Amino acid sequence: MTRAFSGIQPTGDIHIGNYFGAIQNWVELGRRLGKQALFCIVDYHAITIPYRAEELADRTFEAALVNLAAGLDPAQTTLFVQSSVPAHTELTWILLTQTPLGDLERMTQFKDKSGQHSVLTGLLAYPALMAADILLYRADTIPVGEDQDQHLELTREVARRFNFLYGETFPEPRALHTEKALRVPGTDGQSKMSKSKGNTIGVLESPGQIAQKLRLTPTDPARVRRSDPGDPGRCTIYTYHQLFSTDATVQMVNWECRRAGIGCSDCKALLLRGIERELTPLQQRAAELRRQPDQVHQALEQGRREAAALAEPTLEEVRSRIGLYGAKRTSSGLQ
Ligand code: SF4
């Protein structure tokens, strides 16, 4: 692993699925890789489906703030906003011209989303933008959930095709899966936690708001009465315990649930204590940053400069390899 790239969309409040699935992983990667870990708030991806323009900048700021509050250190890693580095869109255009339409149309996420929204061309081009995000930095390690595997495979194909046509330019990136990313279910107990499904627990929500959501979260359906034994393996609350509670509490819940020694309300109250323990320090740091927003703006500006410094040489090489006039003129010294 030499360079990692990962993106998060500023499409709504950051939830615990993002926190365990992406942000914690980023913080850890940042500690290991330092400036070779690039983290990007991908606002250009966010506008491929209908969105509210008046909220986008605030949500982008919010995504940065939460990442910083969660422990991402801008002195050690690079955190930046996608649209602040125009090389992303230029490389996207170049890659799009090399990408067969059928490769984009067969993406599962495109098929799913185009059923929900009117199809904008940006939605079709989304995987080419993702490929550009990664290839621009010649990143070889991509922390993603399994739902992004198909897009990453397309990125590899795009890199291979470009290398074949124009000479070795890009490494083929590999996915770095995290176990927890795959295991955070939504509060509806039916699907993965997702902003679009409205089944999230936000990392900045108050204990009262979270308690209200937990009250409505379904538990093992076998526990109709307090005296019915349950199976924690069929309960979303138990999955949350595994993320937030101490090992001793997880073991106790596992044991007591099976023999009806604990009721679901008490189990949820216990979980809430674990959630508060984990999220309170993050929420306090977020409140401090909110009082000093310049710290967030400065971190993003520093990240923009660092990302642009890495992106520009790649883009210049790409321009030259595909024969663009400006690049040829620069390299040959023509006036
Ligand atoms: S006791 Fe806890 S783990 Fe068992 S079903 Fe109730 S909420 Fe779920």
Side-chain angles (χ1 to χ4, degrees):
M1 189 193 312
T2 56
R3 184 173 287 162
F5 178 94
S6 195
I8 187 168
Q9 287 204 32
T11 46
D13 295 337
I14 306 282
H15 56 71
I16 61 170
N18 305 132
Y19 179 64
F20 286 107
I23 297 175
Q24 273 201 344
N25 197 25
W26 287 14
V27 171
E28 176 56 29
L29 262 182
R31 286 194 188 116
R32 280 165 56 200
L33 292 180
K35 290 291 179 187
Q36 297 306 315
L38 292 128
F39 304 118
C40 183
I41 300 164
V42 290
D43 49 352
Y44 274 143
H45 283 280
I47 64 172
T48 59
I49 56 174
Y51 74 102
R52 298 174 73 88
E54 64 274 23
E55 292 176 1
L56 183 61
D58 286 345
R59 290 188 168 194
T60 302
F61 174 86
E62 201 65 20
L65 179 140
V66 170
N67 278 286
L68 295 172
L72 209 69
D73 181 356
Q76 285 187 341
T77 60
T78 298
L79 174 70
F80 67 105
V81 178
Q82 185 183 33
S83 63
S84 72
V85 181
H88 285 254
T89 42
E90 184 173 342
L91 184 58
T92 301
W93 174 252
I94 293 169
L95 298 180
L96 269 177
T97 65
Q98 314 289 317
T99 306
L101 181 60
D103 284 7
L104 299 172
E105 286 176 328
R106 71 180 163 76
M107 292 292 111
T108 307
Q109 198 164 304
F110 170 70
K111 290 182 194 164
D112 288 350
K113 287 193 176 169
S114 58
Q116 299 165 17
H117 310 284
S118 57
V119 185
L120 302 172
T121 319
L123 190 59
L124 182 68
Y126 183 109
L129 178 57
M130 181 170 153
D133 295 338
I134 294 166
L135 299 179
L136 196 53
Y137 301 101
R138 295 180 162 117
D140 58 7
T141 303
I142 315 300
V144 283
E146 278 188 340
D147 58 346
Q148 290 298 312
D149 276 358
Q150 197 185 26
H151 285 164
L152 192 59
E153 186 50 40
L154 183 75
T155 299
R156 294 160 61 83
E157 280 175 35
V158 166
R160 276 197 293 273
R161 187 178 299 114
F162 192 96
N163 291 345
F164 175 75
L165 290 172
Y166 303 106
E168 199 65 27
T169 309
F170 301 119
E172 286 185 37
R174 296 181 313 273
L176 178 68
H177 289 138
T178 59
E179 255 182 78
K180 285 177 179 174
L182 312 174
R183 285 197 281 125
V184 184
T187 52
D188 55 2
Q190 293 182 349
S191 48
K192 189 175 164 183
M193 188 170 284
S194 157
K195 292 158 193 164
S196 62
K197 296 214 164 73
N199 61 3
T200 61
I201 294 175
V203 295
L204 298 183
E205 285 189 283
S206 68
Q209 290 170 309
I210 296 174
Q212 178 62 19
K213 289 184 174 177
L214 294 181
R215 251 194 296 281
L216 301 173
T217 301
T219 60
D220 177 6
R223 296 211 68 183
V224 179
R225 290 178 297 268
R226 169 69 176 74
S227 55
D228 292 331
D231 176 0
R234 300 177 58 193
C235 178
T236 303
I237 297 296
Y238 182 68
T239 308
Y240 294 163
H241 269 297
Q242 291 174 305
L243 296 170
F244 287 105
S245 300
T246 61
D247 289 349
T249 300
V250 172
Q251 280 173 20
M252 185 278 284
V253 167
N254 193 337
W255 174 258
E256 295 296 337
C257 173
R258 291 177 194 281
R259 62 182 201 111
I262 184 173
C264 291
S265 298
D266 291 340
C267 188
K268 288 178 176 181
L270 211 51
L271 170 64
L272 188 63
R273 289 217 285 275
I275 292 177
E276 278 189 72
R277 191 173 49 240
E278 178 80 19
L279 295 186
T280 298
L282 185 157
Q283 294 183 352
Q284 287 171 343
R285 284 194 296 273
E288 279 168 31
L289 287 169
R290 216 179 287 287
R291 285 192 291 273
Q292 297 170 304
D294 279 353
Q295 282 192 23
V296 180
H297 298 309
Q298 281 164 12
L300 291 176
E301 172 55 20
Q302 179 186 325
R304 182 198 66 75
R305 284 198 301 269
E306 290 165 356
L310 292 172
E312 198 47 47
T314 310
L315 191 57
E316 197 51 41
E317 182 180 336
V318 168
R319 290 188 193 116
S320 173
R321 284 191 183 278
I322 67 170
L324 294 182
Y325 169 72
K328 288 288 177 206
R329 203 178 65 150
T330 307
S331 62
S332 65
L334 291 176
Q335 295 302 309

